[in-house]
Each structure stands twice: as C-alpha cells, then as structure tokens.
Amino acid sequence: MARLIISADGPEKFAVWKEAFAKAAPDLTVCSWYAPETHLLPSDYVLVWKPEADHYAALAQAKAILCTGAGVDHLLQHPHFPVHVPLVRMGGEQTAHLMADYVTWAAIGLLRDARTWAIQQNQHQWVYNGIARTSAEIRIGVMGLGHLGAHVATHLARVGFQVAGWKRSAASVPNVQVYVGQEALPEFLATTDILVNLLPSTPQTRGLVTYDFLKNLPRGAGFINVGRGEHVVQADLVQALDTGLLCGAVLDVVTPEPLPEQSPLWGHPRVTVTPHVASEASAYKQAEYVAQAIGQLERGETPALLCNPHTGY
Ligand code: NDP
C-alpha cells in the first residue's frame, strides 16, 4: 500500500489535504510531513509546493516527489534538489480548464479594452468607448503548447479566435497553427495580435520578453502572462506599454510576488494584475490527480507530466 507524505502549504493545510485524499483516494495512506512520528521511507511519495531548506536532504530518499504546481522551476533551481528522484508536475483537466477560462477572460478583456471601463467606473465616468472588433478578427499566439498551452489554444479556437502556438518540437494541435523552434519565432510574433505566455521558466526562457522581443509583434498588440514573472524584463514591458507598442497587458505572474507596493504596474492604466490565481485546481481534484500519478508509478508506468530535469520542465 503506497504512502504519501504531505508538506505542501505547511502544517496548517494538512487537514484540508487529508479530507481531500480521504474522498479522492481512500486507499492511499497520507501523513503530515510535520508530524513528529513521520519518518520518510524509501517507498514513500511526497507532495510538496515550496519545501523548506532543511527538507531537501530527506526528499532525496523519497520514491517520487509530486508538486502541487505545474511549474517546478523553484524546485529545480534549488541547489539541493535531488534530481535523481522522479518529479511529477501538477496537471489534470480542472487545472487546464481553469487556465483556459482565465486566458479567455484576459483575451476578451484586451479585445474590448475592459481595463479602461474599470478605470472609468472607478471615476464614475460614463464615456462611450465601444469597440466593434470580434474575436474572429484577432490572432492569438500561445508561447508554450504543453499540457496547459495546448488546452488553452484549442479552447480559444473554439471561442472563435484565430490561434497559433509556438513550441520547441513539432506537434499537431487541432485548429492551431504550430510554429516550431527559434527560427519560427519572428513569423509567429509578426502574426500575433495577442501574445499569451505559457512557457515554463528555464535558463532558455527567463528574460525572453524584452522591448526588442515585443517589437516583433504588430504595433498595439496585447500581452497575457500566465507563465512566470521571470520571463519578462519588467522595465521593458512598461516601456512597451508607454510607447504604444503594446495596447495592454494582463499579468497573473510577476517578479517578485507579491508585487511590491511601489511597482508602476499597480496603477498602470494599461495593466491588469491578478495575484497568481489563473489556475489552481481544488484540493479534491489535485488529490485525484496525485493518486492517479502514484498509481501509475506503482505499476511502473510513466506519468504524462513527469519532469525532465535536463530540460527543466
Ligand atoms: P509543459 O511542460 O507541459 O509545457 C511547456 C511547453 O513550453 C511545451 O510545449 C514546450 O515545448 C514549450 N517550451 C519549453 N521551452 C521552450 C523553448 N525554449 N522554446 C519554445 N518552446 C518551449 O508545461 P505546462 O503547460 O504544464 O505549464 C506551463 C507553465 O505554466 C508552467 O511551467 C508554469 O510556469 C505556468 N503555470 C502558471 C500557473 C498560473 O496560475 N499562473 C499555473 C500553472 C502553470 P515542447 O513541447 O516542444 O518541449
């Protein structure tokens, strides 16, 4: 019988996880990492989010590590993360659906300039600023067509947008034009009215979005960042917004988080900031996903979202 030790979100969240696993996977034994009687065995699985510095030595003994986040850059960047232990990223249908809903909301907000409506409402101003432009006229480009990106892209195509995506290796995604590799990037950007970032944070992708990078987009394009804050050089983004290179940005992820009080992004008239909320499945759905992945590992199968520590995602 498999045993899961949970450190994710600290000792106070354990009761919530315990209840979720009791419903989603009653056969799985779950223990709190923080209980004095818990001693990790080589047959144990561990569920983590941001482990404390003194957890890493013990994590090296686990059978596999499962992360409550789809992005595991923070783990792989830790000097003591045990890369020999299998690491499974968060996935599942609800995670992908939540992301698709968020990006659809953000894209339609940019299409209709909803940020200006919010400012007008705040100032009690009734200024007519309707925009006669539909989703069918807008080309959306999704950077990163993995578990989340592919789902988001097909969802946006169903909504009616013209959708393309950019990734490293060739793939086919229904109703999505796929651009592959560095050499295809200029053409991908030149035909993108709203750019969505859903890349993982790796040495190759951190700092990718600069002013010069954004200059490749048609003037007045929109930008949605749901990947990681580190993908973007923030001063360059503000410059692109201030000079009209971009018409607006919706940022769910920033660096650092939380966004500092003095950041120009808070009050920027072209920026919508949300507190990294785009996609976090319910505890029950996460427990269901984790139990399925453990079942696969127990049977010697490879879970779809097993991280490759060499590529960083
Ligand atoms: P995946 O690993 O499934 O997909 C990553 C995609 O990015 C793949 O298509 C991959 O291409 C592509 N990619 C990676 N490196 C490059 C590169 N250098 N050039 C071009 N394409 C590249 O990740 P997920 O879809 O599960 O998650 C994506 C990210 O979303 C996470 O890493 C995390 O940062 C973020 N996230 C944000 C959340 C939020 O609430 N804001 C919630 C969850 C995740 P290929 O397939 O060809 O290898």
Side-chain angles (χ1 to χ4, degrees), residues 154-291:
T154 46
H155 189 81
L156 291 168
R158 270 200 302 274
V159 171
F161 289 99
Q162 301 169 41
V163 188
W166 179 64
K167 69 198 292 292
R168 272 207 327 194
S169 55
S172 126
V173 180
N175 304 316
V176 178
Q177 182 169 1
V178 180
Y179 291 84
V180 179
Q182 206 60 34
E183 53 290 350
L185 187 58
E187 192 190 342
F188 165 75
L189 293 174
T191 51
T192 287
D193 301 312
I194 295 180
L195 180 67
V196 178
N197 175 35
L198 257 170
L199 289 167
S201 175
T202 69
Q204 289 75 38
T205 62
R206 286 192 269 281
L208 179 73
V209 182
T210 60
Y211 186 82
D212 283 343
F213 176 94
L214 294 168
K215 268 203 315 213
N216 292 296
L217 295 165
R219 193 170 174 81
F223 178 56
I224 298 169
N225 192 10
V226 274
R228 283 288 180 266
E230 301 87 59
H231 288 131
V232 178
V233 177
Q234 223 169 75
D236 285 16
L237 175 67
V238 172
Q239 189 191 354
L241 289 157
D242 289 345
T243 55
L245 207 61
L246 290 180
C247 72
V250 180
L251 309 173
D252 186 52
V253 287
V254 287
T255 303
E257 292 180 9
L259 189 63
E261 173 60 33
Q262 68 279 11
S263 170
L265 295 175
W266 280 119
H268 199 290
R270 314 257 54 138
V271 175
T272 298
V273 175
T274 58
H276 202 143
V277 289
S279 163
E280 185 181 353
S282 68
Y284 174 79
K285 287 289 179 191
Q286 292 192 55
E288 206 175 52
Y289 171 86
V290 166

Side-chain angles (χ1 to χ4, degrees), residues 30-74:
V30 297
C31 309
S32 170
W33 176 282
Y34 301 93
E37 66 277 13
T38 301
H39 300 289
L40 195 141
L41 303 171
S43 54
D44 285 333
Y45 296 89
V46 185
L47 181 65
V48 307
W49 169 227
K50 288 187 173 161
E52 289 159 33
D54 61 353
H55 291 185
Y56 283 91
L59 283 175
Q61 313 305 317
K63 184 164 182 185
I65 299 168
L66 298 106
C67 182
T68 58
V72 290
D73 41 292
H74 60 295

